[in-house]
Amino acid sequence: MTIRLGIAGGNRGGSFERSLASLEEEIELVAVCDPSDEVLRGWIDKRSGLEAFSNFEDLIESPNIDAVFVATPMPFHAAQSMMALNAGKHVLSEVIAATTLVECYALVETVEQTGMTYMMAENYCYRREALSLIHISEPTRRYAISYAVFCVKK
């Protein structure tokens, strides 16, 4: 089954394009959303047949999309993720997931209520520097060096 993906935040979401190349059989990029006409034109020029939206609400209402990659400015992540989940779309969100604990709880509740999949795309914990710190720290102090990947799936 191929997941039909829409990217919200075409400017920042452009960095995800490299990853899409290695996932061609699993993910089909079908739409991009950005308030900038210039950014949208850049995507359309590179990929024919791509749907372009300047409004997030229009993106998540599209029946051609199964999942949304939220790559918008971070203060919008929680609200847009919840909107997409409520619209029946799975969500992959850049960090941070939310800016308050209230948003965190609301996000978890939305996942539980909708049964959709939400994943935060944190990858910093896999950077060489972070992994090196874990390996060089004393075993009794490893508790002090931690990382979390927030992934909720019903």
Side-chain angles (χ1 to χ4, degrees):
M1 178 181 135
T2 302
I3 298 171
R4 300 170 301 162
L5 181 70
I7 294 179
N11 206 12
R12 177 94 173 115
S15 63
F16 188 62
E17 197 169 17
R18 291 178 304 206
S19 299
L20 285 173
S22 65
L23 300 168
E24 284 179 323
E25 294 183 23
E26 291 87 16
I27 298 175
E28 176 188 3
L29 180 60
V30 296
V32 65
C33 176
D34 198 276
S36 167
D37 289 338
E38 184 179 335
V39 170
L40 292 176
R41 269 193 304 276
W43 278 93
I44 293 168
D45 289 346
K46 288 189 283 184
R47 294 178 173 262
S48 63
L50 194 64
E51 286 186 87
F53 298 94
S54 58
N55 182 302
F56 182 78
E57 290 80 4
D58 294 337
L59 171 73
I60 61 173
E61 289 175 10
S62 173
N64 302 323
I65 297 169
D66 303 313
V68 176
F69 175 45
V70 177
T72 56
M74 103 174 103
F76 302 126
H77 289 180
Q80 288 180 331
S81 293
M82 289 185 281
M83 290 170 60
L85 292 163
N86 283 319
K89 311 300 182 198
H90 302 289
V91 173
L92 173 65
S93 177
E94 282 196 318
V95 294
I96 60 174
T99 58
T100 68
L101 282 176
V102 171
E103 286 180 334
C104 290
Y105 284 114
L107 186 55
V108 170
E109 287 175 13
T110 303
V111 170
E112 291 172 349
Q113 290 170 359
T114 63
M116 304 308 293
T117 299
Y118 171 87
M119 181 176 174
M120 189 175 74
E122 173 58 76
N123 62 2
Y124 182 79
C125 55
Y126 300 109
R127 290 180 58 127
R128 184 180 200 122
E129 306 88 30
L131 291 173
S132 295
L133 285 173
I134 291 170
H135 292 292
I136 64 172
S137 65
E138 295 175 6
T140 57
R141 292 186 168 199
R142 286 198 184 170
Y143 69 89
I145 300 171
S146 63
Y147 62 87
V149 176
F150 182 74
C151 180
V152 178
K153 186 173 181 178
K154 177 92 177 155

